[in-house]
Amino acid sequence: MTNNNTNLTIGNIVSSEELKNLISSTNLTRNEQREKLSETGIFTIPVDELATHTAIFGTTQGGKTTTTKKLILELNKCQIPVMVIDWHNEYATLIKKLNGVVLVPPTSLVKPNSKLNEQALTWNILDPRFYSDKINSDILEDHIDLIVNLLSLKQILNLTDPMKNVFTNLLKSVYNFKSFKGKMTMKMHLSFGNFPTFHDVNKCLNNLNYSSKELSINSLNALKNRLNKITTGTLKSIFCTKTSFNPQLIFKQNVAIQMNHLTEDFDYAVSLLTFFILRQLMSHFKKQGESKLRYAIIIDEASSVLSLHPLIENRVSRMLQELRKFGVGLIIVARDTDISKAVIRETNQKFVHRLQHPEDINNISKMIGLKNNKFLVKDLPPGVCFVKSSGKELKLLKIKL
């Protein structure tokens, strides 16, 4: 059972003045500077504060992965599961130690090993069981709307309104919907989990009788070409076969989605998968009603993942406002500040490890109010970071596992 009446122990408070002196008056390495810092107290965050979302910034080897792992461990103590979109396979070992599962895309160069708590990641977009294990026509209609609206976005498939209408009818066809007195009904086989895939959509599209009233032949061919973006290559292997896990359990356990061995369409595939997961998360927990923190999702390399298109970033920022109401906290991990301001504004906890680029330092200084300590950001030792948490003064922390 989730324990929300507790604090997460994040790290030890250290002095920025002492760090300045260590940097200016000694020849110590960065690691030695960290070890010399005197610890003056413990820094904690109420667990429910993570429902208001978190951002962790820092260059490579600055300590942001350690901070992220610390949050995972502390959330695990509170029995709050996490999902990690893991670009570099940095979290799989920890997730396995916490009895979680690692999902490996089937196009990966490394095949999943079930004995090591690994499964192939196949996530059938047409599977509506993320909403509920009891499927009815209303849930399917909602799911069809979600799929059509998501894939119609300009930087995904960019479907015109006539294409959207044909696409909607195609989905109803593969779900075996039929009209009965103005209401949608469905054939019983869907109740047993036999959901169609995009392979069925393609087959139905290829057999579609051309109708000049609905879509021109050129537009029909354009629709086929656009659907090929998700029915070929990496996205086909992930999205166009049956779901490899129980959708009702995936949001109840620790999960790492391993992305580092994807072989093609990498940025596009990871971005679309992440956006789809966020949308499914919102739909899943929204059905359960408002709540305190009960789940967390971590997006590694967030600058790349969320940069598919500004429209995607804006939609994500709106999703974050909804997710916090339903007890889902987002933790974005990034090497720079090249993320939509609308997304960053939705994060109430900000951890800042070493940054090098002047623009990043200026951006982060404005975000957390560094003022006189601004120059310290480029000299922070590994595992040392500034933290600004909602309702708390800016602190300098030493974080270790």
Side-chain angles (χ1 to χ4, degrees), residues 352-379:
V352 181
H353 290 270
R354 186 173 72 250
L355 292 169
Q356 297 294 308
H357 197 283
E359 185 177 352
D360 290 327
I361 295 173
N362 286 332
N363 288 340
I364 211 69
S365 297
K366 293 175 184 176
M367 288 180 206
I368 65 175
L370 273 176
K371 297 180 181 178
N372 296 334
N373 288 322
K374 177 179 173 180
F375 78 95
L376 270 179
V377 174
K378 66 181 178 60
D379 292 319

Side-chain angles (χ1 to χ4, degrees), residues 47-257:
V47 62
D48 284 324
E49 284 296 318
L50 266 68
T52 61
H53 311 309
T54 303
I56 302 172
F57 298 101
T59 58
T60 302
Q61 302 298 317
K64 62 183 183 296
T65 301
T66 296
T67 296
T68 307
K69 289 180 177 179
K70 181 67 173 177
L71 290 175
I72 293 172
L73 290 168
E74 289 295 306
L75 287 168
N76 188 69
K77 292 177 184 177
C78 300
Q79 299 179 31
I80 294 175
V82 301
M83 175 185 287
V84 188
I85 309 297
D86 189 359
W87 271 51
H88 303 297
N89 195 22
E90 294 179 300
Y91 301 95
T93 300
L94 175 59
I95 292 298
K96 289 175 185 178
K97 285 181 180 179
L98 300 177
N99 297 316
V101 63
V102 176
L103 299 178
V104 182
T107 56
S108 171
L109 299 173
V110 177
K111 299 304 178 186
N113 185 337
S114 60
K115 294 180 181 179
L116 299 177
N117 283 4
E118 296 174 350
Q119 296 180 26
L121 170 63
T122 56
W123 192 316
N124 179 15
I125 292 180
L126 304 188
D127 187 340
R129 289 176 294 164
F130 296 94
Y131 294 94
S132 170
D133 55 357
K134 296 178 181 178
I135 307 303
N136 57 41
S137 59
D138 289 337
I139 287 174
L140 281 178
E141 284 191 270
D142 287 344
H143 195 58
I144 287 172
D145 287 342
L146 165 66
I147 295 166
V148 173
N149 289 329
L150 170 60
L151 297 183
S152 295
L153 292 175
K154 183 177 181 180
Q155 291 302 311
I156 298 181
L157 296 185
N158 192 22
L159 302 184
T160 63
D161 286 340
M163 288 180 185
K164 288 172 67 174
N165 291 334
V166 171
F167 187 33
T168 299
N169 289 331
L170 281 171
L171 292 177
K172 289 179 179 178
S173 177
V174 297
Y175 278 121
N176 286 303
F177 270 122
K178 59 182 180 179
S179 180
F180 180 70
K181 293 184 179 179
K183 295 183 178 181
M184 301 306 298
T185 60
M186 63 180 182
K187 291 187 177 180
M188 284 303 295
H189 74 86
L190 292 181
S191 301
F192 300 101
N194 298 317
F195 300 104
T197 69
F198 263 88
H199 173 73
D200 302 302
V201 175
N202 261 349
K203 200 187 309 185
C204 188
L205 181 58
N206 289 330
N207 294 331
L208 188 67
N209 291 324
Y210 166 66
S211 169
S212 59
K213 293 181 180 179
E214 195 165 28
L215 202 65
S216 71
I217 189 66
N218 289 337
S219 294
L220 187 61
N221 289 332
L223 176 59
K224 291 178 181 179
N225 290 334
R226 293 178 195 189
L227 287 177
N228 279 340
K229 288 185 75 173
I230 60 169
T231 57
T232 57
T234 298
L235 293 181
K236 175 185 177 181
S237 65
I238 296 174
F239 287 145
C240 299
T241 55
K242 292 185 180 296
T243 304
S244 60
F245 48 84
N246 186 329
Q248 288 299 303
L249 293 180
I250 198 66
F251 298 137
K252 297 179 181 178
Q253 61 182 330
N254 294 312
V255 177
I257 299 181

